[in-house]
Amino acid sequence: MIRAFLLAGVAEELPFRGILFGWLRSRLPWWTVALITAALFAGIHYFLVLVPVGFVFGVALAWLRGRTGSILPGLLAHWLTDWLLFAIALLLWLHHG
């Protein structure tokens, strides 16, 4: 389980805020890059309720990347968010399951 959470964050942050953000940022303004990477990030979270949340989270992660110049803060935020959502789902399942 731990491996899955760690790998999922890396598998999403490295291409979106690592490779794509860096490549686009050398060609486009920051806000355009943030919107493009956030839209693509939201698109892979295809559950209807997650798309808007994924977009807003993607913009926040792009802001972290732009502000720090590193994917590590966004990766940490991604991991913490995944764990928090898992904990909430588990508690709801235990309470109502």
Side-chain angles (χ1 to χ4, degrees):
M1 191 70 152
I2 291 171
R3 209 173 318 149
F5 277 106
L6 292 177
L7 292 177
V10 171
E12 293 178 0
E13 290 308 308
L14 188 58
F16 289 108
R17 259 68 62 184
I19 298 165
L20 186 60
F21 185 98
W23 184 77
L24 288 173
R25 185 61 186 102
S26 66
R27 292 159 176 76
L28 299 168
W30 176 90
W31 61 270
T32 305
V33 175
L35 294 177
I36 291 169
T37 57
L40 292 171
F41 179 73
I44 68 164
H45 296 87
Y46 49 83
F47 300 112
L48 196 52
V49 70
L50 291 182
V51 171
V53 174
F55 182 78
V56 171
F57 190 50
V59 170
L61 292 171
W63 179 84
L64 281 172
R65 169 65 161 89
R67 182 87 170 143
T68 66
S70 172
I71 69 166
L72 293 179
L75 185 55
L76 180 60
H78 198 144
W79 283 335
L80 292 173
T81 301
D82 285 349
W83 278 105
L84 177 64
L85 292 173
F86 173 75
I88 290 169
L90 181 61
L91 288 172
L92 288 172
W93 180 76
L94 290 172
H95 182 63
H96 295 291

